[in-house]
Amino acid sequence: MKMTTTNMMDLFEEGKVLKICAPMVRYSKLAFRSLVRKFDCDICFTPMIVAPDFMRSVKARDSEFTTNEADRPLIVQFAASDAQTLADAACVVAPFSDGVDLNCGCPQRWAMSDGYGACLINKPELVKDMVRHVRNQVDNPNYTASIKIRIHKDLRRTVDLCQKAEAAGVSWITVHGRTAEERHQPVHFDAIKTIKDSLSVPVVANGDIKTLRDVETTHQLTGVDGVMAARGLLSNPAMFAGYNETPLECVWDWVDLATNQGTPFTCFHQHLIYMLERVSSQPERKVFNSLQSTAAVIDYLHNTYGSPDTQTVGLS
């Protein structure tokens, strides 16, 4: 199923702020990517895939990476700790995607103890090597090699890392504006702006994007070329289209996409729990969260919100 590659860099050239769906463990899979694409999402990331596992087993490849012809532009995110494994994984997915991204931002302990994620921001030479291997070994010149990072307390180290990656041929860089130790602290927009001002490749901002207005504010504060959202899109997949809460149309679109693609019940249900969180009362949530089957969920949605064909307005 070889597909034509979007030239990602052309998208950045158009001068608009690109709206991007973040890599989310368990959540940014094909059905959800298909949903956010219907609501003005420009680029989607796969969940983070551990490159050595992916290369070791066909079963891992089949379960971790699914896509279809409409699932573009698509960036496949890998966790890797050596350059050749990353390049090998990139070569496997290159015919079915538009770029690979190296995770240099995951702060979870397991990832860092295995040499993945945020510990890589302290290994600029290795990151440089990894980017260069992908650029040299994927035979499509339009295929991108990007990195997603967190920041250091000493921002000069982050700028140095980014400039080294740029010298190695990195296509673009996503900056989560927190350190590896920070979780819910405010995003350091000034740091993202400093990084953007220090580079000539496109920079994408990540962290605390909950509404379309946040996209615009972040762009104004930092001058970035794109904005990436994670939790904001989980609770409202139509956010990039300007909805302040999940519209009913989006809920029913999810039901169709998830059932057509055979999404496991726990994932199907969990997405709806996120989507309905802000628009339902606590007693409603309690009932909904305890439902045990797809049929029960669909019945509940029909009874509570009406069928998709009768709808004229959003949930509220």
Side-chain angles (χ1 to χ4, degrees):
M1 170 179 84
K2 182 158 175 153
M3 299 184 270
T4 53
T5 310
T6 307
N7 187 338
M8 292 287 305
M9 303 322 287
D10 287 352
L11 292 180
F12 282 110
E13 287 297 306
E14 287 167 12
K16 64 171 190 162
V17 185
L18 295 179
K19 301 189 284 285
I20 303 172
C21 176
M24 292 179 276
V25 176
R26 293 188 300 281
Y27 294 128
S28 48
K29 295 205 163 180
L30 176 59
F32 187 71
R33 298 195 300 265
S34 308
L35 179 66
V36 295
R37 288 183 194 284
K38 294 186 74 162
F39 293 93
D40 288 2
C41 183
D42 297 311
I43 301 166
C44 290
F45 274 57
T46 66
M48 179 181 81
I49 299 169
V50 177
D53 299 349
F54 185 77
M55 292 311 297
R56 208 172 296 129
S57 112
V58 173
K59 193 174 172 206
R61 290 202 282 282
D62 290 344
S63 71
E64 292 283 337
F65 180 63
T66 48
T67 184
N68 62 25
E69 283 183 29
D71 185 31
R72 307 300 285 269
L74 179 65
I75 304 296
V76 183
Q77 193 189 63
F78 284 111
S81 56
D82 79 281
Q84 193 52 53
T85 306
L86 178 65
D88 289 344
C91 289
V92 171
V93 299
F96 316 104
S97 58
D98 301 291
V100 292
D101 185 81
L102 173 64
N103 185 313
C104 304
C106 177
Q108 291 183 27
R109 224 173 264 129
W110 73 266
M112 290 176 61
S113 66
D114 286 350
Y116 304 137
C119 69
L120 290 175
I121 64 173
N122 299 318
K123 301 176 182 174
E125 293 301 328
L126 175 58
V127 170
K128 195 171 154 181
D129 202 29
M130 291 161 101
V131 168
R132 193 173 282 140
H133 267 66
V134 173
R135 299 298 272 169
N136 290 343
Q137 293 180 39
V138 174
D139 66 358
N140 173 357
N142 291 334
Y143 199 71
T144 61
S146 56
I147 60 175
K148 182 172 187 289
I149 65 169
R150 283 185 173 238
I151 59 173
H152 298 84
K153 280 199 178 76
D154 177 356
L155 199 58
R156 288 171 301 187
R157 294 179 64 197
T158 319
V159 170
D160 175 63
L161 166 74
C162 293
Q163 288 175 339
K164 284 192 163 87
E166 182 172 59
V170 82
S171 309
W172 47 293
I173 296 175
T174 301
V175 182
H176 183 115
R178 293 183 175 99
T179 67
E181 294 71 43
E182 291 175 324
R183 291 296 179 272
H184 305 296
Q185 288 89 335
V187 171
H188 301 282
F189 289 111
D190 52 340
I192 299 175
K193 182 180 190 329
T194 300
I195 293 163
K196 169 64 190 162
D197 291 345
S198 309
L199 300 173
S200 54
V201 293
V203 173
V204 169
N206 174 224
D208 279 357
I209 306 296
K210 305 276 170 51
T211 64
L212 190 58
R213 180 166 295 158
D214 292 341
V215 173
E216 290 152 11
T217 307
T218 301
H219 176 242
Q220 283 160 3
L221 289 172
T222 61
V224 288
D225 307 274
V227 168
M228 177 185 281
R231 282 184 307 228
L233 280 177
L234 280 182
S235 60
N236 178 9
M239 173 184 92
F240 284 148
Y243 292 90
N244 289 326
E245 53 191 35
T246 311
L248 189 55
E249 172 197 358
C250 180
V251 172
W252 285 114
D253 281 345
W254 170 247
V255 171
D256 287 346
L257 286 162
T259 48
N260 287 339
Q261 291 182 19
T263 301
F265 175 72
T266 46
C267 179
F268 167 69
H269 189 211
Q270 188 60 54
H271 272 292
L272 287 166
I273 288 172
Y274 281 123
M275 285 184 217
L276 298 173
E277 194 172 22
R278 294 214 299 254
V279 293
S280 53
S281 65
Q282 200 173 0
E284 284 173 337
R285 286 202 296 276
K286 205 170 170 186
V287 172
F288 185 77
N289 295 2
S290 66
L291 298 175
Q292 300 290 319
S293 71
T294 302
V297 165
I298 292 173
D299 281 348
Y300 176 93
L301 293 173
H302 273 294
N303 294 336
T304 311
Y305 301 115
S307 61
D309 42 329
T310 59
Q311 131 213 4
T312 51
V313 292
L315 287 172
S316 52

